[in-house]
Amino acid sequence: MDPSFLRNVLKAILNGTQTGQVDVGKLNDALNVSNEALREVLAQLSEEGLVTVRGDSLELSRDNRLGLAIKAIELGADFQTVSQSLGWLEFEELAAYVFEMNGYSVLRRFRFHAEGRRWEMDVL
């Protein structure tokens, strides 16, 4: 499968599922591809556990969305463009993942007290 095609599908799915489910037909229209080509990609992503197809809709958990974002970046998608399609919790997890894959130890949601206040650092 053409990596640029797959990358575009992944970005469209991420954009389409920012607020929940996305209709496969709307996704097809946004990509301007054949229904068969899109269904083939969705079947592959479903086998990989990255999407759930229910009827004519795609459902993604936060973990699914993170997996799609990572796959898109691995296929050469622009990190900033992919990041903009993520919510803030998803972005934090993506940042932590990138650090971990590059050999760093990561603490998530590190809480501490200083100056009479409670503070939290999302990714340390």
Side-chain angles (χ1 to χ4, degrees), residues 6 38 46 59 63 77 97 104 110 115 117:
L6 182 54
L38 180 58
S46 181
E59 297 177 6
D63 288 343
Y97 175 82
Y104 290 87
F110 179 75
E115 301 176 2
R117 291 184 51 189

mmCIF file with all atom_site columns, all heavy atoms in Angstrom, residues 6 38 46 59 63 77 97 104 110 115 117:
data_model
loop_
_atom_site.group_PDB
_atom_site.id
_atom_site.type_symbol
_atom_site.label_atom_id
_atom_site.label_alt_id
_atom_site.label_comp_id
_atom_site.label_asym_id
_atom_site.label_entity_id
_atom_site.label_seq_id
_atom_site.pdbx_PDB_ins_code
_atom_site.Cartn_x
_atom_site.Cartn_y
_atom_site.Cartn_z
_atom_site.occupancy
_atom_site.B_iso_or_equiv
_atom_site.pdbx_formal_charge
_atom_site.auth_seq_id
_atom_site.auth_comp_id
_atom_site.auth_asym_id
_atom_site.auth_atom_id
_atom_site.pdbx_PDB_model_num
ATOM 1  N N   . LEU A 1 6   ? -1.815  5.981  2.720  1.00 0.00 ? 6   LEU A N   1
ATOM 2  C CA  . LEU A 1 6   ? -2.129  5.558  4.084  1.00 0.00 ? 6   LEU A CA  1
ATOM 3  C C   . LEU A 1 6   ? -1.976  6.713  5.060  1.00 0.00 ? 6   LEU A C   1
ATOM 4  O O   . LEU A 1 6   ? -2.806  6.917  5.942  1.00 0.00 ? 6   LEU A O   1
ATOM 5  C CB  . LEU A 1 6   ? -1.237  4.376  4.489  1.00 0.00 ? 6   LEU A CB  1
ATOM 6  C CG  . LEU A 1 6   ? -1.476  3.779  5.864  1.00 0.00 ? 6   LEU A CG  1
ATOM 7  C CD1 . LEU A 1 6   ? -2.931  3.379  6.072  1.00 0.00 ? 6   LEU A CD1 1
ATOM 8  C CD2 . LEU A 1 6   ? -0.551  2.582  6.077  1.00 0.00 ? 6   LEU A CD2 1
ATOM 9  N N   . LEU A 1 38  ? -10.748 2.726  0.516  1.00 0.00 ? 38  LEU A N   1
ATOM 10 C CA  . LEU A 1 38  ? -10.877 3.125  1.914  1.00 0.00 ? 38  LEU A CA  1
ATOM 11 C C   . LEU A 1 38  ? -11.228 1.929  2.788  1.00 0.00 ? 38  LEU A C   1
ATOM 12 O O   . LEU A 1 38  ? -10.643 1.744  3.861  1.00 0.00 ? 38  LEU A O   1
ATOM 13 C CB  . LEU A 1 38  ? -11.932 4.220  2.065  1.00 0.00 ? 38  LEU A CB  1
ATOM 14 C CG  . LEU A 1 38  ? -12.146 4.722  3.495  1.00 0.00 ? 38  LEU A CG  1
ATOM 15 C CD1 . LEU A 1 38  ? -10.853 5.270  4.093  1.00 0.00 ? 38  LEU A CD1 1
ATOM 16 C CD2 . LEU A 1 38  ? -13.246 5.765  3.527  1.00 0.00 ? 38  LEU A CD2 1
ATOM 17 N N   . SER A 1 46  ? -8.203  -2.120 11.252 1.00 0.00 ? 46  SER A N   1
ATOM 18 C CA  . SER A 1 46  ? -9.010  -2.885 12.202 1.00 0.00 ? 46  SER A CA  1
ATOM 19 C C   . SER A 1 46  ? -8.265  -4.136 12.662 1.00 0.00 ? 46  SER A C   1
ATOM 20 O O   . SER A 1 46  ? -8.261  -4.463 13.851 1.00 0.00 ? 46  SER A O   1
ATOM 21 C CB  . SER A 1 46  ? -10.350 -3.255 11.567 1.00 0.00 ? 46  SER A CB  1
ATOM 22 O OG  . SER A 1 46  ? -11.138 -3.978 12.473 1.00 0.00 ? 46  SER A OG  1
ATOM 23 N N   . GLU A 1 59  ? -15.137 4.127  15.236 1.00 0.00 ? 59  GLU A N   1
ATOM 24 C CA  . GLU A 1 59  ? -15.035 4.497  16.642 1.00 0.00 ? 59  GLU A CA  1
ATOM 25 C C   . GLU A 1 59  ? -13.589 4.292  17.058 1.00 0.00 ? 59  GLU A C   1
ATOM 26 O O   . GLU A 1 59  ? -12.990 3.265  16.754 1.00 0.00 ? 59  GLU A O   1
ATOM 27 C CB  . GLU A 1 59  ? -15.949 3.633  17.499 1.00 0.00 ? 59  GLU A CB  1
ATOM 28 C CG  . GLU A 1 59  ? -17.417 3.799  17.184 1.00 0.00 ? 59  GLU A CG  1
ATOM 29 C CD  . GLU A 1 59  ? -18.292 2.867  18.008 1.00 0.00 ? 59  GLU A CD  1
ATOM 30 O OE1 . GLU A 1 59  ? -17.773 2.165  18.906 1.00 0.00 ? 59  GLU A OE1 1
ATOM 31 O OE2 . GLU A 1 59  ? -19.490 2.834  17.743 1.00 0.00 ? 59  GLU A OE2 1
ATOM 32 N N   . ASP A 1 63  ? -6.447  5.537  23.009 1.00 0.00 ? 63  ASP A N   1
ATOM 33 C CA  . ASP A 1 63  ? -5.301  4.703  22.629 1.00 0.00 ? 63  ASP A CA  1
ATOM 34 C C   . ASP A 1 63  ? -5.264  4.454  21.126 1.00 0.00 ? 63  ASP A C   1
ATOM 35 O O   . ASP A 1 63  ? -4.188  4.443  20.521 1.00 0.00 ? 63  ASP A O   1
ATOM 36 C CB  . ASP A 1 63  ? -5.321  3.374  23.376 1.00 0.00 ? 63  ASP A CB  1
ATOM 37 C CG  . ASP A 1 63  ? -4.972  3.511  24.843 1.00 0.00 ? 63  ASP A CG  1
ATOM 38 O OD1 . ASP A 1 63  ? -4.396  4.550  25.243 1.00 0.00 ? 63  ASP A OD1 1
ATOM 39 O OD2 . ASP A 1 63  ? -5.277  2.579  25.616 1.00 0.00 ? 63  ASP A OD2 1
ATOM 40 N N   . ALA A 1 77  ? 4.336   11.652 8.160  1.00 0.00 ? 77  ALA A N   1
ATOM 41 C CA  . ALA A 1 77  ? 3.447   12.807 8.344  1.00 0.00 ? 77  ALA A CA  1
ATOM 42 C C   . ALA A 1 77  ? 4.142   13.840 9.230  1.00 0.00 ? 77  ALA A C   1
ATOM 43 O O   . ALA A 1 77  ? 4.936   13.493 10.107 1.00 0.00 ? 77  ALA A O   1
ATOM 44 C CB  . ALA A 1 77  ? 2.126   12.376 8.976  1.00 0.00 ? 77  ALA A CB  1
ATOM 45 N N   . TYR A 1 97  ? 5.551   9.266  24.646 1.00 0.00 ? 97  TYR A N   1
ATOM 46 C CA  . TYR A 1 97  ? 5.939   8.134  23.801 1.00 0.00 ? 97  TYR A CA  1
ATOM 47 C C   . TYR A 1 97  ? 7.214   8.457  23.018 1.00 0.00 ? 97  TYR A C   1
ATOM 48 O O   . TYR A 1 97  ? 8.132   7.634  22.941 1.00 0.00 ? 97  TYR A O   1
ATOM 49 C CB  . TYR A 1 97  ? 4.797   7.772  22.845 1.00 0.00 ? 97  TYR A CB  1
ATOM 50 C CG  . TYR A 1 97  ? 5.160   6.702  21.855 1.00 0.00 ? 97  TYR A CG  1
ATOM 51 C CD1 . TYR A 1 97  ? 5.108   5.354  22.205 1.00 0.00 ? 97  TYR A CD1 1
ATOM 52 C CD2 . TYR A 1 97  ? 5.576   7.022  20.561 1.00 0.00 ? 97  TYR A CD2 1
ATOM 53 C CE1 . TYR A 1 97  ? 5.465   4.363  21.300 1.00 0.00 ? 97  TYR A CE1 1
ATOM 54 C CE2 . TYR A 1 97  ? 5.931   6.038  19.654 1.00 0.00 ? 97  TYR A CE2 1
ATOM 55 C CZ  . TYR A 1 97  ? 5.872   4.714  20.027 1.00 0.00 ? 97  TYR A CZ  1
ATOM 56 O OH  . TYR A 1 97  ? 6.230   3.738  19.126 1.00 0.00 ? 97  TYR A OH  1
ATOM 57 N N   . TYR A 1 104 ? 14.531  8.003  26.855 1.00 0.00 ? 104 TYR A N   1
ATOM 58 C CA  . TYR A 1 104 ? 14.329  8.781  28.065 1.00 0.00 ? 104 TYR A CA  1
ATOM 59 C C   . TYR A 1 104 ? 13.364  8.069  29.012 1.00 0.00 ? 104 TYR A C   1
ATOM 60 O O   . TYR A 1 104 ? 12.450  7.376  28.577 1.00 0.00 ? 104 TYR A O   1
ATOM 61 C CB  . TYR A 1 104 ? 13.744  10.169 27.735 1.00 0.00 ? 104 TYR A CB  1
ATOM 62 C CG  . TYR A 1 104 ? 14.728  11.075 27.041 1.00 0.00 ? 104 TYR A CG  1
ATOM 63 C CD1 . TYR A 1 104 ? 14.859  11.052 25.655 1.00 0.00 ? 104 TYR A CD1 1
ATOM 64 C CD2 . TYR A 1 104 ? 15.520  11.949 27.770 1.00 0.00 ? 104 TYR A CD2 1
ATOM 65 C CE1 . TYR A 1 104 ? 15.770  11.890 25.015 1.00 0.00 ? 104 TYR A CE1 1
ATOM 66 C CE2 . TYR A 1 104 ? 16.422  12.790 27.139 1.00 0.00 ? 104 TYR A CE2 1
ATOM 67 C CZ  . TYR A 1 104 ? 16.541  12.748 25.762 1.00 0.00 ? 104 TYR A CZ  1
ATOM 68 O OH  . TYR A 1 104 ? 17.438  13.563 25.127 1.00 0.00 ? 104 TYR A OH  1
ATOM 69 N N   . PHE A 1 110 ? 3.296   14.391 37.062 1.00 0.00 ? 110 PHE A N   1
ATOM 70 C CA  . PHE A 1 110 ? 4.126   14.471 38.260 1.00 0.00 ? 110 PHE A CA  1
ATOM 71 C C   . PHE A 1 110 ? 3.605   15.604 39.141 1.00 0.00 ? 110 PHE A C   1
ATOM 72 O O   . PHE A 1 110 ? 3.540   16.752 38.727 1.00 0.00 ? 110 PHE A O   1
ATOM 73 C CB  . PHE A 1 110 ? 5.588   14.727 37.863 1.00 0.00 ? 110 PHE A CB  1
ATOM 74 C CG  . PHE A 1 110 ? 6.519   14.852 39.014 1.00 0.00 ? 110 PHE A CG  1
ATOM 75 C CD1 . PHE A 1 110 ? 6.912   13.731 39.721 1.00 0.00 ? 110 PHE A CD1 1
ATOM 76 C CD2 . PHE A 1 110 ? 6.992   16.092 39.404 1.00 0.00 ? 110 PHE A CD2 1
ATOM 77 C CE1 . PHE A 1 110 ? 7.781   13.837 40.790 1.00 0.00 ? 110 PHE A CE1 1
ATOM 78 C CE2 . PHE A 1 110 ? 7.857   16.217 40.468 1.00 0.00 ? 110 PHE A CE2 1
ATOM 79 C CZ  . PHE A 1 110 ? 8.249   15.088 41.173 1.00 0.00 ? 110 PHE A CZ  1
ATOM 80 N N   . GLU A 1 115 ? 6.205   26.350 47.338 1.00 0.00 ? 115 GLU A N   1
ATOM 81 C CA  . GLU A 1 115 ? 5.699   27.711 47.536 1.00 0.00 ? 115 GLU A CA  1
ATOM 82 C C   . GLU A 1 115 ? 4.262   27.718 48.035 1.00 0.00 ? 115 GLU A C   1
ATOM 83 O O   . GLU A 1 115 ? 3.450   28.563 47.659 1.00 0.00 ? 115 GLU A O   1
ATOM 84 C CB  . GLU A 1 115 ? 5.824   28.528 46.243 1.00 0.00 ? 115 GLU A CB  1
ATOM 85 C CG  . GLU A 1 115 ? 7.250   28.637 45.736 1.00 0.00 ? 115 GLU A CG  1
ATOM 86 C CD  . GLU A 1 115 ? 7.354   29.377 44.407 1.00 0.00 ? 115 GLU A CD  1
ATOM 87 O OE1 . GLU A 1 115 ? 6.327   29.845 43.876 1.00 0.00 ? 115 GLU A OE1 1
ATOM 88 O OE2 . GLU A 1 115 ? 8.482   29.462 43.897 1.00 0.00 ? 115 GLU A OE2 1
ATOM 89 N N   . ARG A 1 117 ? 1.872   25.733 47.358 1.00 0.00 ? 117 ARG A N   1
ATOM 90 C CA  . ARG A 1 117 ? 0.896   25.308 46.351 1.00 0.00 ? 117 ARG A CA  1
ATOM 91 C C   . ARG A 1 117 ? 1.178   23.896 45.899 1.00 0.00 ? 117 ARG A C   1
ATOM 92 O O   . ARG A 1 117 ? 2.267   23.377 46.062 1.00 0.00 ? 117 ARG A O   1
ATOM 93 C CB  . ARG A 1 117 ? 0.990   26.194 45.101 1.00 0.00 ? 117 ARG A CB  1
ATOM 94 C CG  . ARG A 1 117 ? 0.545   27.603 45.256 1.00 0.00 ? 117 ARG A CG  1
ATOM 95 C CD  . ARG A 1 117 ? 0.588   28.359 43.938 1.00 0.00 ? 117 ARG A CD  1
ATOM 96 N NE  . ARG A 1 117 ? -0.099  27.636 42.864 1.00 0.00 ? 117 ARG A NE  1
ATOM 97 C CZ  . ARG A 1 117 ? -0.065  27.989 41.597 1.00 0.00 ? 117 ARG A CZ  1
ATOM 98 N NH1 . ARG A 1 117 ? 0.627   29.033 41.218 1.00 0.00 ? 117 ARG A NH1 1
ATOM 99 N NH2 . ARG A 1 117 ? -0.711  27.298 40.686 1.00 0.00 ? 117 ARG A NH2 1
#
